[in-house]
Amino acid sequence: MSAYDADVIIAGAGMAGATLALALHQAGLKVVLVDPVAFDSQLAPTFDGRASAIAFAAFRQWRALGLAESLEPHAQRIEQILVTDGRTPGAAASGPTAFFLRFDAAEIADRADGEPLGYLVENRHTRAALAAGVEAAGIPVLAPARVVSATFDARAATVTLADGRTLTAPLVVGAEGRGSVIREAAGIGVLGWDYRQTGVVATVRLARPHHGVAHEYFLPGGPFAILPLTDNRASLVWTESTARAAALKAARPEVFHAHLQRRFGDHLGEAVVEGPVFTYPLSLQLAERLVAPRVALLGDAAHGVHPIAGQGLNLGLKGAAALAEVVVEACRLGEDFGSEAVLERYAAWRRFDTVTLSAGMDLFVRLFSNDNPVARLARGVGMAAVNRIGPARRFFMQEAGGAVGDLPRLLRGEAL
């Protein structure tokens, strides 16, 4: 490997890319991370304001990588999830409905070793833990540094940075988001569409304890989620039409608060916004392929999905675990781990789960983001049926926890 700058170059030092870097490094491979944004900038509370629901299997991966001590103080256990089909104009506008879903971690405690349904962690804390882990491991990070092009031949990938530097490795991973330069350079197309919706994200402090319960209301404009955070706070993911979201973003604080309380209801008392309000346009984007010779795609470079079930980052973390295992096993067997034949094992492992989950999220968006009475009746009956069928309910909980199917070792909490 002396002819190369690294065994694996990872373009994108976000959460999926940094997780992959730690997994490969732990197994003895030389990794270089490249990112246009310095780690320090990503740690500021004003960087993006988001929090992520982490499946318990994905959290096991971070434990296996030695990140538990730095992450667990900031990780809020999700003990229950309550899903309700709401009506216009919001969660507080009407009485209770017979159509709802309730997921309880206690139901699957024996199968999940006492794990919750998942964890809510603010992205800045996750990035800080990953950055500290990367620094402690001595993994080189080129940041700020932007990848502008890449070429691939029979033996190596060559990445060119904006400052003219070049790096070579047997494998390059595109993990730099939806506008992936690596994906484009590899000639991998994308398909998808715009939902004409925008996610409004804010952190609120609650007047009453949330007890680790996550609430999701399906409203005609899109889902409205109240996700529990540590210190009796909550992360709001409020989906609206693009025009309404822009108006909310520009609204005076007292106007925003009035709209918020109308949708939020009074079951947790007053919700007071802490920090900035952020908005994100929502769309579906899937790469046509996950791999090409010398290239693998990871995270949003491979799949950008609607946040309706909080599975976007979890898809990326599952991908990191699978790709790390495929590459490490191939390396130990003396195989060319950057060859398409080896990388196709990763693609085959992740393709079905990625496509089915993305399609499922798209179907949920279309089924629930409307006030059609026929659609409302159909989804209500479906929710009530699942709520009354224990095995179906437990399967959905296992699936949301990332513990269904052929799991990579890291998702089982085992080191590579």
Side-chain angles (χ1 to χ4, degrees):
M1 294 295 178
S2 58
Y4 302 116
D5 296 297
D7 296 331
V8 182
I9 298 168
I10 302 174
M15 290 182 279
T19 298
L20 175 64
L22 286 168
L24 293 174
H25 174 83
Q26 190 180 78
L29 277 74
K30 182 181 178 183
V31 183
V32 172
L33 280 163
V34 183
D35 198 275
V37 181
F39 266 138
D40 289 349
S41 300
Q42 297 186 48
L43 307 184
T46 55
F47 181 72
D48 70 5
R50 286 181 285 191
S52 296
I54 307 300
F56 65 77
F59 206 86
R60 286 175 184 166
Q61 175 175 215
W62 285 340
R63 287 197 188 105
L65 295 175
L67 302 177
E69 185 176 348
S70 53
L71 276 173
E72 286 178 342
H74 307 289
Q76 170 62 51
R77 289 171 60 98
I78 303 174
E79 302 293 356
Q80 293 182 6
I81 301 174
L82 300 179
V83 182
T84 307
D85 192 11
R87 284 185 164 79
T88 302
S94 60
T97 171
F99 300 145
F100 67 93
L101 268 170
R102 176 174 177 155
F103 299 124
D104 194 322
E107 278 196 72
I108 58 169
D110 56 336
R111 306 182 190 184
D113 298 322
E115 295 275 15
L117 296 173
Y119 298 85
L120 244 295
V121 191
E122 290 168 271
N123 288 5
R124 62 192 174 103
H125 293 310
T126 302
R127 285 191 296 265
L130 287 165
V134 165
E135 183 178 5
I139 298 171
V141 181
L142 305 181
R146 185 168 56 89
V147 174
V148 294
S149 65
T151 58
F152 316 97
D153 60 33
R155 298 189 58 193
T158 301
V159 171
T160 302
L161 307 184
D163 61 8
R165 284 179 291 175
T166 61
L167 302 169
T168 62
L171 172 63
V172 61
V173 177
E176 72 273 53
R178 294 187 181 219
S180 171
V181 173
I182 299 299
R183 185 188 63 224
E184 183 177 351
I188 300 175
V190 297
L191 55 88
W193 41 82
D194 186 354
Y195 287 116
R196 298 193 294 276
Q197 293 179 329
T198 295
V200 181
V201 177
T203 299
V204 298
R205 183 165 297 280
L206 306 175
R208 299 174 190 159
H210 56 56
H211 300 299
V213 180
H215 299 264
E216 181 139 22
Y217 297 96
F218 287 113
L219 304 176
F224 178 83
I226 306 166
L227 308 173
L229 292 172
T230 56
D231 196 26
N232 206 47
R233 296 169 301 139
S235 175
L236 302 185
V237 183
W238 177 354
T239 306
E240 283 285 4
S241 68
T242 300
R244 288 183 179 179
L248 284 169
K249 170 73 172 173
R252 299 191 312 276
E254 59 270 24
V255 174
F256 183 89
H257 182 265
H259 282 284
L260 167 64
Q261 286 295 149
R262 190 181 192 190
R263 286 158 178 79
F264 199 100
D266 60 1
H267 62 290
L268 292 174
E270 187 177 18
V272 178
V273 175
E274 293 190 344
V277 174
F278 301 85
T279 56
Y280 300 94
L282 304 179
S283 63
L284 174 71
Q285 179 180 289
L286 295 179
E288 293 177 346
R289 293 177 288 147
L290 293 177
V291 300
R294 306 290 160 200
V295 175
L297 300 181
L298 181 67
D300 282 357
H303 39 66
V305 299
H306 196 286
I308 192 168
Q311 290 298 311
L313 176 58
N314 289 303
L315 272 177
L317 296 175
K318 287 180 183 179
L323 181 56
E325 189 165 323
V326 166
V327 169
V328 168
E329 287 189 349
C331 185
R332 288 171 179 168
L333 291 171
E335 297 180 286
D336 178 1
F337 54 79
S339 68
E340 193 169 16
V342 169
L343 295 176
E344 180 56 32
R345 299 172 198 164
Y346 159 66
W349 201 349
R350 294 301 309 142
R351 187 180 294 119
F352 180 78
D353 185 42
T354 298
V355 171
T356 54
L357 192 144
S358 300
M361 295 306 98
D362 184 68
L363 177 63
F364 264 83
V365 172
R366 297 178 188 280
L367 180 62
F368 283 91
S369 294
N370 65 77
D371 207 18
N372 182 287
V374 176
R376 179 177 291 281
L377 177 62
R379 67 201 188 209
V381 170
M383 290 170 64
V386 171
N387 201 53
R388 286 167 172 75
I389 301 172
R393 192 172 59 250
R394 288 187 285 275
F395 171 82
F396 279 114
M397 285 189 276
Q398 288 281 98
E399 174 67 32
V404 173
D406 182 15
L407 295 183
R409 290 202 296 272
L410 284 167
L411 295 183
R412 300 197 298 265
E414 304 168 8
L416 294 178

